[in-house]
Amino acid sequence: MDGNGRWARQRGEERVFGHSHGVESVRACVEAAAENGVRYLSLFAFSEENWGRPESEVNTLMGLMLKAIADEVDNLKKQGVRFRALGDMGRLEPHLVEAIKGAEDYTATPPGVEPVLDLIVFLSYSGKWDILQAARRLAADYASNPSAMSEAGADELASRLVTAGIPDPDLIIRTSGESRLSNFLLWQAAYSEFLFVDTLWPDFGKKDFRSALEEYSKRDRRYGKVK
Ligand code: IPE
Ligand code: MG
């Protein structure tokens, strides 16, 4: 979700104005995803690198996250959306972690009941961090049996990523005209389709989401094989 700052600047406003409008795009995309049969929607909300922004902007973003959770959690539950947040939670303020846990528990479905949509918000996340923490856990798990480590396959590492159990993304959309992955799901994006659009995130609505799905439906995924 990129382009909030530029969207605000274009209107002669502070960057935070763009971030608060960005929340409306999130709401629209969650609805569009649920309406169009998307089973998992992942949002890159705050990267590990974003901690390097001015403290006031970081605080605003965290405050917006807290407010969005409080405002939207009932609506999400009503739509059958299960909320989850993934990332380096240890870096977040305890009250935000508590709110996240509360929303995760509140929107969780009973065993055997599939949610309509899994909404996964990546917070304080980076792809390199994820691979590193998975590698560390893998090494720790094999510490008593190092010779077995050489047999460990890719699935052994994947099952220790924070996304364990979540399918790899079929489509990754980046807004605002930037054409890079910026340390998002590095491992998981191995065979994802990419869509780069010029639209700034606060302008990205249901129509744009549907167009992205339409574009995805035209892609020919061969996974390195021939058809
Ligand atoms: C995306 O908008 C929001 C976050 C990264 C948290 P930006 O804040 O990156 O907006 P630009 O790129 O400066 O326009
Ligand atoms: Mg940006």
Side-chain angles (χ1 to χ4, degrees):
M1 303 182 285
D2 200 8
N4 295 350
R6 279 163 282 168
W7 187 89
R9 290 283 185 233
Q10 284 175 1
R11 286 158 180 76
E13 299 280 352
E14 296 297 320
R15 296 174 54 80
V16 298
F17 184 66
H19 295 316
S20 52
H21 275 266
V23 178
E24 286 166 35
S25 298
V26 170
R27 195 180 301 123
C29 288
V30 169
E31 282 179 21
E35 286 163 10
N36 289 279
V38 171
R39 182 61 187 77
Y40 294 87
L41 178 66
S42 296
L43 301 174
F44 198 11
F46 192 86
S47 72
E48 197 181 22
E49 290 80 7
N50 288 152
W51 286 114
R53 292 191 177 194
E55 200 184 328
S56 61
E57 180 163 343
V58 170
N59 290 340
T60 300
L61 285 165
M62 295 301 160
L64 273 174
M65 184 60 57
L66 203 58
K67 184 174 165 6
I69 290 172
D71 290 351
E72 300 297 329
V73 75
D74 277 315
N75 204 14
L76 293 177
K77 195 179 168 76
K78 261 186 228 140
Q79 294 179 80
V81 177
R82 174 165 63 166
F83 170 86
R84 279 192 275 174
L86 297 178
D88 191 358
M89 295 295 140
R91 292 186 74 173
L92 303 180
E93 291 283 340
H95 64 286
L96 179 54
V97 176
E98 221 172 277
I100 287 168
K101 283 215 183 86
E104 287 177 339
D105 292 345
Y106 184 64
T107 60
T109 48
V113 179
E114 284 252 323
V116 172
L117 171 75
D118 269 278
L119 172 64
I120 304 150
V121 176
F122 287 82
L123 260 186
S124 188
Y125 179 87
S126 83
K128 286 190 181 183
W129 165 81
D130 195 4
I131 294 168
L132 188 61
Q133 67 79 30
R136 284 182 179 142
R137 284 166 60 194
L138 187 69
D141 293 347
Y142 279 87
S144 61
N145 190 7
S147 62
M149 181 83 163
S150 59
E151 305 290 317
D155 53 338
E156 289 275 340
L157 194 118
S159 68
R160 287 167 177 85
L161 295 168
V162 293
T163 51
I166 298 169
D168 288 343
D170 289 313
L171 173 65
I172 296 182
I173 307 166
R174 182 167 186 158
T175 57
S176 88
E178 311 290 1
S179 309
R180 53 178 175 265
L181 189 53
S182 297
N183 213 353
F184 190 36
L185 299 165
L186 296 181
W187 175 286
Q188 300 87 337
Y191 269 97
S192 300
E193 295 294 325
F194 285 85
L195 179 64
F196 298 105
V197 297
D198 288 336
T199 314
L200 303 175
W201 177 250
D203 287 330
F204 194 90
K206 278 192 173 187
K207 198 166 62 67
D208 304 276
F209 193 90
R210 282 194 298 265
S211 312
L213 294 182
E214 176 70 25
E215 165 62 29
Y216 172 77
S217 71
K218 295 179 196 150
R219 303 283 177 97
D220 180 21
R221 303 184 77 188
R222 294 184 299 280
Y223 300 94
K225 299 180 178 66
V226 284
K227 266 193 178 163

